[in-house]
Amino acid sequence: MSGNVIRFPARLAGAEPDPPQPSSARSPRTTAPGPSGAFPVAPPGRRFLSLHLPRFAVERRIARLARRGSLLQATTPLALLAEGTHGPVVHATNPAAEAEGVHAGMRAVDARALCPALRMEEADPRGDAEALGDLALWCRRWCPWTAVDGTGIMMDATGSAHLRGGEAALLEEVEARLARLGLNARLALAPTRGAAWALARFGGARERCAPKDLPARMAPLPVRALRIGDGTALLLRRLGLGTVGDLAAVPRLSLARRFARAEPAENPLLRLDQMMGRLAEPLHCPDDPPCFLARAVLSEPVEDPTPLLPALSDQLCTMLGARGFGARRIALTIFRSDGTVARAEAATARATRDPAHLARLFDGRLDNLDPGFGFDLLTLGATVAEPLPERQPALDGRRDEGEDLAKLVDRLSARFGPRALLRPAFHESHVPERREVPVPALGPAPPVPPPAAGRPLRLFDPPEEVRVVYAVPEGPPAQFVWRRVTHRVTRFAGPERIAPEWWRDRPGTRLRDYYRVEDHEGRRYWLYREGLPDDGRGGNPRWFMQGSFG
Amino acid sequence: MPENDHQHPKRTLAEENVFAQNPRASFVELGLATCFSFLRGASDAVDLVTTAWRLGYDAIGVADRNTLAGVVRVHTEARTAQVRPVIGCRLVLLTGEEFLVYPRDRAAYGRLSRLLSKGKMQDAEGDWQAKGACDLTLDDLADHAEGVQLILVPPADLTGLPQRLRTLVRRLPTLRHLAASHLYRGEDRARINALDRMAAQAGLSILATNDVLYHVPNRRPLQDVMTCIREKVRLDEAGFLLEPNAERHLKSPAEMARLFAEWPGALRAAREVADACAFRLDELAYEYPREVIPADCTPQEYLEAVTWEGAARRYPEGVPAPVQATLGKELAMIRKLDIARYFLTIHDVIRFAREEASPPILCQGRGSAANSAVCYVLGITAVDPAAHQLLFERFISEERKEPPDIDVDFEHERREEVIQHIYKKYGRDRAGLCATVIHYRPRSAIREVGKVMGLSEDVTGALARTVWGSWGTEVGEKHVAEAGLDLSDPLLRKAVRLAGELIGMPRHLSQHVGGFILTERPLTETVPIGNGAMPDRSFIEWDKDDIDALGILKVDILALGMLTCIRKALDLVAVHHGRRLDLATVPQEDPRVYAMLAKGDSVGVFQVESRAQMNMLPRLRPRTFYDLVIEVAIVRPGPIQGDMVHPYLRRRAGTEAVEYPSPAPPHPPDELKSILGRTLGVPIFQEQAMRIAIEAARFSPAEANELRKAMATFRSKGQIGRLEEKMVGRMVERGYDEGFARRCFDQIKGFGEYGFPESHAASFALLVYVSSWLKCHHPAAFGAALLNSQPMGFYAPAQIVRDMREHGVEVRAPDVNHSDWDTTLVPDGRGSVAVRLGLRTVGGFPQAAAGRLLGARDEPFRDIPDLQRRAGLSSAWVRRLAEADAMRSLFIDRRQALWEAGGLRDAPDLPLFRETPDEGEEPAVPLPPMPLSEQVVADYQTLRLSLKAHPMAFLRRSLRAQGYVSAQDLAGTRNYQRVKLAGLVLVRQRPGSAKGVCFITLEDETGSANLVVWPKVMESFRKVVMQARLLVVEGHIQREVEIVHVVAERLVDRTDALLRLAPEGFVPALSPADEVVRPVQGSARSPQPGHPRDARIIPKSRDFH
């Protein structure tokens, strides 16, 4: 989870929001989390499900590309790059790239030399780690205890399999659901974490291992299946201990003498004991993120959700208030009696838990929801929430006016779409008309520009062409005709020469010489001459009125 | 035709009199930044100076930001363009004030240089300064400001300036001016008036400058890009970091007069400041140290004395008359140029290495110095002028107006001693290392520009890739199109154009490998010294070209691995064979040595061990020392491009008549015979080509010098074309065959900067001979010395060991009870010696640990605990030894040793339990025996070689069954016979002179095999060539003399077969010369890998990328 923003675990591409489970199956746990070390060693019947996602990073990127509308052919070699000490190195690859000989750890230049058609993208290890965390939470649909386990996910599936029709069915379902997310997963069920980890990586497809088969099944696995580092694995192999069985045959005393002081990741004896269930290895599961979801269950289907909204909104805001959160994004979901689901979303400019405000965000937007033969379940959830501490109003009782504006922005954006409501933002550019760019009003407030010296407050857009009398070639304006009125220049300052932004302007764009002028009536204007007579970009320079002072 | 692969030519103006001196201008631009104001100035000295000359300046200032790194270039170019350079600097203080500073004379220049050195060597707190930074305070400036004219560059915001100005004027008496610029910012007039007023109040006057960043307005985009690179932003978000317009270019005096019409005094002030600078950089030259000369005689007298003394030593039977005459001629020239002290200084360094250092350090001069008889009798070089034709003019000539260039090679492991001696003798304040200017090269340029312009990594990568094939000097449009990129995209077109402009711009300074400069005065008063990235390293701001241009004494202290190896081998020979030899006393002209070389048996031998040389040796069949000189020089781009190799070989083999090209009748018909006589009428050396230009094309010495310089620096194509027409035209006119004339010129062109003159080849040939002699007569000592000098040479230790064993040397594995740190020679019990590999071959075993082990080995170690206890080794180190199977003398193999080493404990056992381990007695654990294939793999992993077997041996049965031949079998094959062969990849090379042909050397347990991959095949199997470590090839045999090549038709990557030996993956070492893993082009970080004259004998090759 990043920062304090809480999202529903649906950050993965294609992870369509789930209909809420029957309340018994998916209510937030209130009891103490996870198994502790207190249970007896090798509890009978513990079942761990290990999920190995060999191409998580690449598959996540492919899904993201697909969402942006660029579908990647399976035959297109793709590599994700991370910064190495000597330039970028390959971080992850897809099978097509691997077939071309590109593998992780390779320098990017070598990879490109090898496979000129290789498509390269920046890797996002932090995003991957976050997404993996989200995925682990998402996996709680099958069992309540799940956690990230290195590069994969570990689930304590004890007692959960029968809900899905047995272990085989559970594994198939998990694999199928992950496949729908575009993730290739290898999974295994075993009585210990170590065994499940090993089978997911070194065993067959969806392998299950019963407690009684454990020693026999583990014996032929290579020592790397013990979750030990490469160095230790190499050492063991050099000692002739190539498999778990070889290692298990060595007297404990000898192993202890050699490895007792090693780190867990380099201690094959410890890992062996964990694998065989001789040593407890609790799974530490993070708490469920707070879930803000208000629901209205109706005994009879109704057709208009509007009257139910205030109560739901109240309910949601109470939930938010109890945890000190405010909603940034809310979703209203309607479950029709014929089984289909309709959904409406709204966002807010700042975190809020004002029930009336939240309810109003759906004004007029529910008309488009086709209620069909009516609906019997309605939920309102905060899909993105931020901490919002209680704030004391000012002593004079005045309200924060920014809040009102934020609410207006919310309502207008909710009604007309986020692109419809824009606000000007400052952009650093020497070209006057490019200093202001519109940005969506719903986003964070843009920085306040520094005061510009010598620039008028009012700009004409587009600038108006004027006829000017001036000393050729570069003289200041002496007299100009603007909107059919002749102005005699009495004073001027300048020129301020502003060259075109060569990287974005069309070739042939001419530079501008700006003058601040004062006419005989004391009015001040901002004129510019476009181009110089001998700049080779057109004929005689033209003059434009860009703005006026005061 | 490849011209100077991957080397960006340094731009410089031709020394032709196209520049007429301008009349005195009313204004001199002083605020001029060159590209050495890194990532600020966007034009180089050539452009700035030519533009200044064109605009009518008679003098031009230079003021780079806190550096003098660019002044020599401006000085040199301005001298050519008849413009007076005014040398200065732009100082930026820590507090933000900026000054243009212009020293009036040599003393003031010295103070400025010292000030910059201070800022670059110490930060404001007096601690070690970071590389590239320069911290200066007002106090520092005040301390060094005497005689330095200061001009304050006002900040953008003028509030508070009058108050600050009062302080500055009080502290800095030489501050007389306030810089004013008219940059079209809208308020220029008001601003200049305000400055004028403030200046007048403070008793100063304003001085006009355009604050120049580039020579023409068109350079603004490049300057913008540089700003973005500097500030690490993209163009579209750079905003106000960029200049609003393109006005900061060099403007003509007339234009400046127009802009400053209201303030004529400002122009006058600039002129006066420039006129007051009497200092010229030429004044720095020839300040040679005096220590080496006795007080009572002049340098010339002393040099003559030591020269004749040395001559008497070199020629005990009397100095031959021609040598006497040569010495006299050279001494006269040295007197004329007043460079005696230069020779004496180098003589002193050599004397230190030979006489004071203990044991003596082998050293030898190389390069053009070997053309000098004086250098020979002083012991600097080893090429006997009596036996060789020397071209003294190539070493020193009056026309060149440059000091001679003497490079000396020392043993690479002991070069530091020589450097420390120089520091000690002359002091760090008088001796310093040169800088190397790191330039933007095509790849780095396109990467940086692409990043700034928002191109994706994909696109810049594709663009950068197109560089290969364009010879690294430009991002050619053709190649861009080849890469599938659309050049009609204006953004892309701009990026390519800007990258082109950025190529060749300096990026930063780095340390030169060995170029020392020595001065009589403190060095910091000659040139600023800055800190390097490494601790305790500092170097001056100028590179070797700058030093040459100024004529400052420079000596290259270079490192040569082969010298280390030869010294170690000679020491071993002395100890084990009782024969004390040195470079000079090794028996000469030994026919057995030449017989060995003629077979191509040259693994480990200096220079001629490369694949190309090994192929040449059997064709050339060297029989005398001079043949080695030719051998060294002939496998070079020059002779290859000039198509001189085959004619020479044919003439040598007697299949072609030796004839000398001759001119038409009125001219003497045998004028080339004296030049080409020794090389059978074929020009092979650079000197010969030059002499042909002089003799046959009647080039004057000045013209020949121009030709030499044009070749060395690769000027514009136009100039070279002109010289070619001149040379060829004159030769044809005098009756020579045009084809011959063109070939001569092509050869000169091929030499480029990597020219291989005869004298240089002769210096190297001596080392070739000595190393061959050692290999021939003492293969064990030579091999051991090679292993002790690693890393060096063309081959990895595995091949060196293998070669030793093929020559009947017994090689024994490293062992805790028998090995020293170094590889040693031990009696083999049969009256001869065997080689015992040292503990240094054990990967990851530190020398300090070895020292403790050897110190405790007064009696053999009994077992592993004994070893650990007595030697005090940590268990990790014992494990390293066990992994390397170095415990055989304890009667345990690798696996058992490793098992026992694992049980060791680092902390001392408690006294109570000392006798038994605290877990009690350990039960015996039956470990399975380690199969041989695993042993070999583990050997390769720990020692990088195996004495037990070759990895290919395990695959041989299956290979035989499938009809594959071994490398050994190739000797008995017929020409054009079809073969299948498999082996480990040793080297992959693609020489630039071979037109895209790739050469691969494979190795199996019986020997090595050379593959030729034609470009067409290469294209189809490119991926295999680049990836495979175990390569299977099908093709046919091509035989010539004794050389057998396999011409590849089909290649298969069978690296997977190695996985069967070692499931966890096993990567045998490649040769250091492999170009796929170590591309020759070098990374962007180090565009010049090493000193250009660390002569690679094989032509530089195209990058595989």
mmCIF file of all heavy atoms in Angstrom, chain B residues 200-215:
data_model
loop_
_atom_site.group_PDB
_atom_site.id
_atom_site.type_symbol
_atom_site.label_atom_id
_atom_site.label_comp_id
_atom_site.label_asym_id
_atom_site.label_seq_id
_atom_site.Cartn_x
_atom_site.Cartn_y
_atom_site.Cartn_z
ATOM 1 N N ALA B 200 29.611 54.447 -12.242
ATOM 2 C CA ALA B 200 30.183 55.776 -12.023
ATOM 3 C C ALA B 200 30.249 56.081 -10.527
ATOM 4 O O ALA B 200 31.262 56.599 -10.030
ATOM 5 C CB ALA B 200 29.352 56.827 -12.751
ATOM 6 N N GLN B 201 29.189 55.727 -9.805
ATOM 7 C CA GLN B 201 29.170 55.985 -8.359
ATOM 8 C C GLN B 201 30.308 55.249 -7.660
ATOM 9 O O GLN B 201 30.889 55.745 -6.710
ATOM 10 C CB GLN B 201 27.851 55.499 -7.761
ATOM 11 C CG GLN B 201 26.748 56.532 -7.866
ATOM 12 C CD GLN B 201 25.394 55.907 -7.534
ATOM 13 O OE1 GLN B 201 25.347 54.793 -7.034
ATOM 14 N NE2 GLN B 201 24.338 56.640 -7.813
ATOM 15 N N ALA B 202 30.615 54.027 -8.145
ATOM 16 C CA ALA B 202 31.640 53.237 -7.476
ATOM 17 C C ALA B 202 33.021 53.530 -8.049
ATOM 18 O O ALA B 202 33.993 52.874 -7.689
ATOM 19 C CB ALA B 202 31.327 51.762 -7.620
ATOM 20 N N GLY B 203 33.075 54.490 -8.964
ATOM 21 C CA GLY B 203 34.371 54.828 -9.536
ATOM 22 C C GLY B 203 34.800 53.856 -10.624
ATOM 23 O O GLY B 203 35.986 53.742 -10.926
ATOM 24 N N LEU B 204 33.850 53.119 -11.182
ATOM 25 C CA LEU B 204 34.169 52.165 -12.244
ATOM 26 C C LEU B 204 33.602 52.668 -13.558
ATOM 27 O O LEU B 204 32.990 53.747 -13.609
ATOM 28 C CB LEU B 204 33.554 50.790 -11.934
ATOM 29 C CG LEU B 204 33.811 50.200 -10.559
ATOM 30 C CD1 LEU B 204 33.085 48.869 -10.436
ATOM 31 C CD2 LEU B 204 35.292 50.008 -10.336
ATOM 32 N N SER B 205 33.793 51.879 -14.596
ATOM 33 C CA SER B 205 33.118 52.202 -15.846
ATOM 34 C C SER B 205 32.527 50.922 -16.413
ATOM 35 O O SER B 205 32.943 49.825 -16.041
ATOM 36 C CB SER B 205 34.098 52.831 -16.828
ATOM 37 O OG SER B 205 35.103 51.897 -17.139
ATOM 38 N N ILE B 206 31.566 51.084 -17.286
ATOM 39 C CA ILE B 206 30.966 49.879 -17.860
ATOM 40 C C ILE B 206 31.785 49.429 -19.056
ATOM 41 O O ILE B 206 32.491 50.202 -19.691
ATOM 42 C CB ILE B 206 29.487 50.080 -18.271
ATOM 43 C CG1 ILE B 206 29.358 51.235 -19.254
ATOM 44 C CG2 ILE B 206 28.610 50.248 -17.068
ATOM 45 C CD1 ILE B 206 28.005 51.297 -19.903
ATOM 46 N N LEU B 207 31.671 48.120 -19.320
ATOM 47 C CA LEU B 207 32.439 47.493 -20.393
ATOM 48 C C LEU B 207 31.477 46.624 -21.196
ATOM 49 O O LEU B 207 30.712 45.850 -20.630
ATOM 50 C CB LEU B 207 33.547 46.647 -19.767
ATOM 51 C CG LEU B 207 34.455 45.823 -20.664
ATOM 52 C CD1 LEU B 207 35.843 45.764 -20.029
ATOM 53 C CD2 LEU B 207 33.930 44.427 -20.862
ATOM 54 N N ALA B 208 31.493 46.805 -22.491
ATOM 55 C CA ALA B 208 30.524 46.101 -23.327
ATOM 56 C C ALA B 208 30.976 44.678 -23.596
ATOM 57 O O ALA B 208 32.145 44.421 -23.847
ATOM 58 C CB ALA B 208 30.361 46.853 -24.653
ATOM 59 N N THR B 209 30.036 43.785 -23.515
ATOM 60 C CA THR B 209 30.285 42.399 -23.933
ATOM 61 C C THR B 209 28.945 41.814 -24.316
ATOM 62 O O THR B 209 27.903 42.229 -23.812
ATOM 63 C CB THR B 209 30.934 41.549 -22.830
ATOM 64 O OG1 THR B 209 30.851 40.189 -23.207
ATOM 65 C CG2 THR B 209 30.218 41.719 -21.493
ATOM 66 N N ASN B 210 28.970 40.854 -25.225
ATOM 67 C CA ASN B 210 27.693 40.241 -25.590
ATOM 68 C C ASN B 210 27.487 38.929 -24.840
ATOM 69 O O ASN B 210 26.568 38.190 -25.137
ATOM 70 C CB ASN B 210 27.614 40.022 -27.099
ATOM 71 C CG ASN B 210 26.189 39.930 -27.568
ATOM 72 O OD1 ASN B 210 25.345 40.718 -27.112
ATOM 73 N ND2 ASN B 210 25.885 38.958 -28.411
ATOM 74 N N ASP B 211 28.364 38.636 -23.877
ATOM 75 C CA ASP B 211 28.193 37.438 -23.056
ATOM 76 C C ASP B 211 28.006 36.210 -23.950
ATOM 77 O O ASP B 211 27.019 35.481 -23.857
ATOM 78 C CB ASP B 211 26.971 37.611 -22.148
ATOM 79 C CG ASP B 211 27.269 37.056 -20.773
ATOM 80 O OD1 ASP B 211 28.328 36.440 -20.611
ATOM 81 O OD2 ASP B 211 26.439 37.238 -19.870
ATOM 82 N N VAL B 212 28.981 35.967 -24.799
ATOM 83 C CA VAL B 212 28.803 35.053 -25.927
ATOM 84 C C VAL B 212 28.803 33.592 -25.487
ATOM 85 O O VAL B 212 29.632 33.171 -24.687
ATOM 86 C CB VAL B 212 29.935 35.278 -26.948
ATOM 87 C CG1 VAL B 212 29.881 34.249 -28.055
ATOM 88 C CG2 VAL B 212 29.842 36.672 -27.515
ATOM 89 N N LEU B 213 27.837 32.840 -25.998
ATOM 90 C CA LEU B 213 27.780 31.399 -25.736
ATOM 91 C C LEU B 213 27.997 30.564 -26.990
ATOM 92 O O LEU B 213 28.241 29.375 -26.908
ATOM 93 C CB LEU B 213 26.422 31.017 -25.139
ATOM 94 C CG LEU B 213 26.121 31.536 -23.740
ATOM 95 C CD1 LEU B 213 24.709 31.161 -23.338
ATOM 96 C CD2 LEU B 213 27.103 30.994 -22.736
ATOM 97 N N TYR B 214 27.836 31.196 -28.162
ATOM 98 C CA TYR B 214 28.003 30.430 -29.402
ATOM 99 C C TYR B 214 28.381 31.392 -30.514
ATOM 100 O O TYR B 214 28.225 32.600 -30.381
ATOM 101 C CB TYR B 214 26.740 29.647 -29.760
ATOM 102 C CG TYR B 214 25.450 30.297 -29.345
ATOM 103 C CD1 TYR B 214 24.883 31.287 -30.117
ATOM 104 C CD2 TYR B 214 24.811 29.922 -28.163
ATOM 105 C CE1 TYR B 214 23.690 31.896 -29.730
ATOM 106 C CE2 TYR B 214 23.620 30.522 -27.761
ATOM 107 C CZ TYR B 214 23.071 31.501 -28.553
ATOM 108 O OH TYR B 214 21.905 32.114 -28.167
ATOM 109 N N HIS B 215 28.875 30.820 -31.614
ATOM 110 C CA HIS B 215 29.431 31.715 -32.626
ATOM 111 C C HIS B 215 28.391 32.278 -33.585
ATOM 112 O O HIS B 215 28.572 33.364 -34.095
ATOM 113 C CB HIS B 215 30.565 31.024 -33.396
ATOM 114 C CG HIS B 215 30.125 29.877 -34.258
ATOM 115 N ND1 HIS B 215 29.631 28.714 -33.729
ATOM 116 C CD2 HIS B 215 30.123 29.709 -35.595
ATOM 117 C CE1 HIS B 215 29.340 27.892 -34.715
ATOM 118 N NE2 HIS B 215 29.616 28.472 -35.852
#
